[in-house]
Amino acid sequence: MCSTEECSHGLKNCIYVFALVGHLSMHRHKQRAGKEGQVLHRSKRGWVWNQFFVIEEYTGPDPVLVGRLHSDVDSGDGNIKYILSGEGAGTIFVIDDKTGNIHATKTLDREEQAQYTLTAQAVARDTNKPLEPPSEFIVKVQDINDNPPEFLHGPYYARVPEMSNVGTSVMQVTATDADDPTYGNSARLVYSILQGQPYFSVEPQTGIIRTALPNMDREARQEYDVVIQAKDMGGHMGGLSGTTEVKITLTDVNDNPPKFPQSVYPMSVSEDKVPGEEVGRLKAKDPDLGDNGLVNYRLIDGDGMSMFELTTDSETREAVIKLKKPVDFETKRSYTLKVEGSNPHVDPQFLAWGPYKDEATIKISVEDADEPPVFVAPSYTFEVEENAPEGTLVGRVHAKDTDVANNPVRYMIPRYTDVEQFFSINSEDGMITTTRPLDRETQAWHNISVSATEIGHHQDTKVRVNIKVKDVNDNPPEFATNNEVLMCETVAPGKVIETVSAVDKDEMAHRQHFTFSLAPEVAHNHNFSLKDNRAQPVFMCSVKDSVRLTQDVYYLPIEINDNGFPAMSSTNTLTIRVCSCDSKDTILSCNVEPYVLPAGLSTGALIAILACIVILLAIVVLFVALRRQKKEPLIVFEEEDIRENIITYDDEGGGEEDTEAFDIATLQNPDGANGFLPRKDIKPELQYPIRPGIGRPAANSVDVDDFIKTRIAEADSDPTAPPYDSIQIYGYEGRGSLAGSLSSLESVTTESDLDYDYLQSWGPRFKKLADLYGTKDCSVNDGDDGEDS
């Protein structure tokens, strides 16, 4: 047991102190009291320990008494010494070696270390011999509420579907307390909600957050900030608390049907729009997100369903109305469409809230556009006879303005469709006429275009016009081929030597045929006969029985007639060449020299001969023209002129060292001495004599300025003068020149008998020279006068 003073000290500091007693000693005294007279044997002594406690976070002024060690061998005379070892011995825990009192010298923290294991031993003070065997005991640190609850994983984020029922679990939050959960209420937590009411609630014991209001709408509010508190000591006053934030987001459900902002959408389209062009757009609003907000569109009714189509823009999710067929303002001016927008994904639990679709009406008005004229027929086909005179009517085209204004239409034929301008059209009524006779054999069909344009507008419409040239029998028949007929000179009488067919450039009618006959001038010949085969357009030429071949070549004119209207005929010459043959009538050789019958040459042969003559003449003329086009040099030298080595300078030159002088041959003109300057590049047709009264004026009697002007005018008006000018400039005076300097600039300072007074009469252009080279006396006198003055 502890002393009264020690117990009072322990109670004062809320410390429980347990006295150490010798368990074996107490047991021995009990045995002695129960069995007197018996011989008792002394047993070995040992420690009996109870657990020691020390409160954490003690901040008193004195060390805390933990407990007292006492052995029953201690008689109190101070011969026993107590020794303490183990965790914290000597630093945290100290012992009085005489009394055995143990004190804690430092503040302890249970959360850092909850208990300490120590070893106690009693030894003799003088010999340090153990009086008792060592024994361990435990000092436990008693917990106090010094740690608040903590949310280790906050802040928290949670999601819950909108429109959830009341009590739907959102999430669970958990706090931890570092205090001892087995001692008192220091670690007993209670949860409460500080922020987020009345939307959410929390279970006090578990920390589960649940919804507290029905029909929470995400479209009205999507996020909520909730604050949860955890308090220890069972939530009673004096307990510590901690808080955390929970951000709760409402997720979307399909609880809203699509809705068109307008019940009627007005749109317009111009009649000149082509199919596929966009007319307008509309969109149904659905506040839901993702697939819940998707809207599908379709046309469900209206008189414009065949004229318009509906598609959906994949990016903007808009309904796009497009033109399906061309519209006509003059035919129908407005259309109506009914569009439905619906959700493809519907939540079954919200089906009772109503149909998830909406309808809207589209009114489309057709706008009038300036359309080009329209021909009443997609194309035209006309016929006209060939050789018809100019101005013959071919046909008429007609176009009209489909607009309300109904403007007059004007017609024209684009020139690129009728390059040779065979036809013309009346611009007002569309009547097409010929501008010259047509030839079917040259061109049987004419395909042209006619353009129609409204007055005052630029838009036009073109139509194809096909014109067929009807045939007229205006071409005589002729041989299909012009090959020569080779005949053996020993041909048997009556043998057919050739069968020749005829062709006609005109169209052959079903019953049309040709008739063949010999020309009148050879109708009574004694050599050949002709047989007409009416079954086919051919004839057969045979040798008469009384044939007597005396020529090498025979030209047999044959007349061919058709039975057209009017009938046409032509005379064609059949060339028959007599050849040498063997016994089997195989041709060996033929005489190439022709023999001309009195009938003369055919027209084709004459044309061929004339064509050859014309070609030869054209070649000769071309050759002569090419030779004349060759340019001759401007100056022609018939022979070398030795005067090329003589160079005359009319201005200051460079002497013998000057090698850049202009070639005198460039300006050579032997006729220049007589005052006549013929041009060498052309041959003058007319020689211009020198004007009468214009001669070379004397230097002393005529103004030099007038003299120069006269010469310039004479050179400009003379076509025989050379067509070029030449100026040679010399930049230096030649050193070592035997002739010396040609300059007269220093002559004013030298003695000279030259008289330059005539310069005064040469006009104002030579005034400076007159002043420089005038009479010396005048200059001196002028100077003297100046000095006198």
Side-chain angles (χ1 to χ4, degrees), residues 728-739:
Q728 180 66 37
I729 298 175
Y730 301 92
Y732 62 91
E733 184 100 14
R735 292 191 298 272
S737 174
L738 298 177

Side-chain angles (χ1 to χ4, degrees), residues 17-57:
V17 181
F18 298 90
L20 298 177
V21 295
H23 178 66
L24 295 178
S25 176
M26 292 176 64
H27 181 67
R28 184 169 55 251
H29 285 299
K30 290 179 182 179
Q31 287 180 347
R32 185 183 298 120
K35 298 180 180 180
E36 294 181 359
Q38 294 181 2
V39 179
L40 300 175
H41 297 279
R42 184 178 180 86
S43 62
K44 185 178 180 180
R45 296 182 178 182
W47 298 101
V48 177
W49 304 103
N50 288 324
Q51 203 170 37
F52 291 95
F53 293 91
V54 60
I55 193 168
E56 69 171 333
E57 304 292 346

